[in-house]
Amino acid sequence: MNSQHPDGSVFSNIVRAPEDPILGVTVAYNKDTSPIKLNLGVGAYRTEEGKPLVLNVVRRAEQLLVNDPSRVKEYLPIVGLAEFNKLSAKLIFGADSPAIQENRVATVQGLSGTGSLRIGAEFLARHYYQHTIYIPVPTWGNHPKIFTIAGLSVKTYCYYDPETRGLDFKGLLEDLGAAPTGAIVLLHACAHNPTGVDPTLEQWEQIRQLMRSKGLLPFFDSAYQGFASGSLDADAQSVRMFVADGGECLAAQSYAKNMGLYGERVGALSIVCKAADVASRVESQLKLVIRPMYSNPPIHGASIVATILKDSDMYNEWTVELKAMADRIISMRQLLFDTLRDRGTPGDWSHIIKQIGMFTFTGLNTEQVAFMTKEYHIYMTSDGRISMAGLSSRTVPHLADAIHAAVTRIP
C-alpha cells in the first residue's frame, strides 16, 4: 500500500465540506421528528396547507407539450430555445423596449438564476476591462461564491440598516460613489434577498444617475419578477429605468419562483448593448462561455415558459395565479405582524409588513434563532431570514410564540 494513502484512497486528504448554510437548514429539518417542526429556510412557495404548488397553467402547458407528437428531444442550440429567449427579454424589458426593437439585446438561456449569473460573470471576467463587482451587504449567500469562482474580485456596498430594518440609502450612495470607474454593481431587481427591503422608485433614479455618471456597469439579478408585488411590470421598473437611458446592463432572470419551475432550472441572461452589431458579437462570445460548461441547456422547462408567454390566454391565467401567490405572502406578513402585536411582543415589528417578497429579515440574532430551533423546532438561516412563503395561518401562531419567547428570554 502506498504510504501517502494510508486508507488506500488517493482522496484520503479530502476534508469534509460544511453544509450549505441555506440548504443545510432543510437537512436539519428533515432529521427532526417533532410533529410541530416548521421549515422557513428554503425559498420555495408553499400553499396554505404547506404543500409545494405546481401552477395550473404550468400543468396545462406541459399537457400540450406531451400531447404534441411532433415534439422531439433533440439538442437545443448553445444559446437555448430562441423563442424562450425572445419572450424572456420582452418580459423583463417590456414589449415596447427600444433595446429589443433595435436588436441591441443578446439573450441566452441559462440554468435558472444561478446559471445565468455564472454565465454573465464568466463573460465579464473574460471580456470586460474591470474585474471588480460590488455586491450589497447582505446578499444571497451564493452571490459571492458565483462571482469569485468566475474570476471576479468581490467587494461590498452598504445596503441594509439593522437599526431601522430598512435601506441604508446614504451608505449605499457613498459606497457606490467611492467605487472605481467602470466597476460592476450587482443589483437585486426587486424583493431583495434576504432582507425584503427595496429602494423606492425615486431612490432607484438616484442610484441610476450616480451609476451612469461614474460609468458603473449594472448587473441585475431578477429572481422575483411578479412574485414580489403581484405585478410583472411593477417588479421590472428598476431594470427598465436603466435600459431606458440607452446605457448598457446585464440581467439574469429566473422562472423558479414566478412560475414555480424550481427544479426545471429555467432562466436567462440578457446583455443590453449600445448597438446591434455589438450585441451580435457579445452573443458569439457567450456561446464560447457556455459550450465548455454544459454544451446547451435543457429543453423542457424553457418550452413550458415559451408556451405560456406566447399565448395570451395562458399568459393571463399565469398572471392571475402569480398574483394569488404574491397576495398570500403579503397576507402572511400582515397576519404575523398582527399576531406579534396582539401578543405584545417587545420591539417594533412594522418591518415585516414594509418588506416585500418571499423573505423577511426578522432582526433576530443567531442565539435567538438557535433557541427557536431547539425549543420550537422552527428552522431558518442563522441570520434570522424567514421564508414568508413557508407560513400558513395554521403555523403563524406557533412562529409568533417562538419569536415572543426568543426576544423576551434572549437579549
Side-chain angles (χ1 to χ4, degrees), residues 84-97 99-100 105-107 187-190 219-226 231-244 249-255 258 267-272 309 315 318:
F84 165 85
N85 291 340
K86 212 168 149 181
L87 291 162
S88 293
K90 208 168 116 178
L91 186 71
I92 192 163
F93 301 128
D96 54 356
S97 170
I100 292 175
V105 184
T107 304
L187 300 163
H188 295 230
C190 69
F219 193 159
F220 282 98
D221 184 357
S222 175
Y224 302 97
Q225 189 184 351
S231 161
L232 287 156
D233 289 327
D235 290 348
Q237 279 178 295
S238 60
V239 181
R240 291 176 189 180
M241 224 179 245
F242 279 79
V243 177
C249 66
L250 291 84
Q253 283 167 276
S254 163
Y255 289 96
N258 61 12
L269 171 77
S270 289
I271 304 185
V272 178
L309 295 184
Y315 179 88
W318 173 48

Side-chain angles (χ1 to χ4, degrees), residues 130-177:
Q130 257 285 13
H131 284 182
T132 305
I133 185 163
Y134 282 76
I135 63 174
V137 177
T139 192
W140 181 45
N142 219 9
H143 278 146
K145 298 172 189 171
I146 292 166
F147 297 124
T148 302
I149 211 160
L152 296 174
S153 158
V154 175
K155 294 215 162 103
T156 60
Y157 64 89
C158 286
Y159 189 85
Y160 178 73
D161 180 354
E163 285 304 305
T164 63
R165 294 179 189 172
L167 185 66
D168 177 5
F169 191 52
K170 186 171 166 286
L172 180 152
L173 292 179
E174 279 172 14
D175 286 354
L176 293 187

Side-chain angles (χ1 to χ4, degrees), residues 255-335:
Y255 289 96
K257 280 42 174 204
N258 61 12
M259 276 196 195
L261 296 174
Y262 306 95
E264 296 291 357
R265 314 307 296 138
V266 201
L269 171 77
S270 289
I271 304 185
V272 178
C273 305
K274 283 275 194 193
D277 69 309
V278 179
S280 153
R281 296 201 303 270
V282 163
E283 186 189 294
S284 74
Q285 288 295 340
L286 287 170
K287 288 182 191 174
L288 299 191
V289 172
I290 294 165
R291 178 68 170 138
M293 209 191 282
Y294 55 84
S295 278
N296 46 66
I299 195 166
H300 185 67
S303 302
I304 295 170
V305 174
T307 302
I308 293 167
L309 295 184
K310 72 182 176 191
D311 179 283
S312 58
D313 285 347
M314 291 179 96
Y315 179 88
N316 291 336
E317 186 182 342
W318 173 48
T319 59
V320 171
E321 289 194 81
L322 180 53
K323 185 159 186 351
M325 287 194 287
D327 286 350
R328 196 184 89 71
I329 292 173
I330 291 164
S331 73
M332 287 303 107
R333 288 184 179 280
Q334 191 63 53
L335 183 60

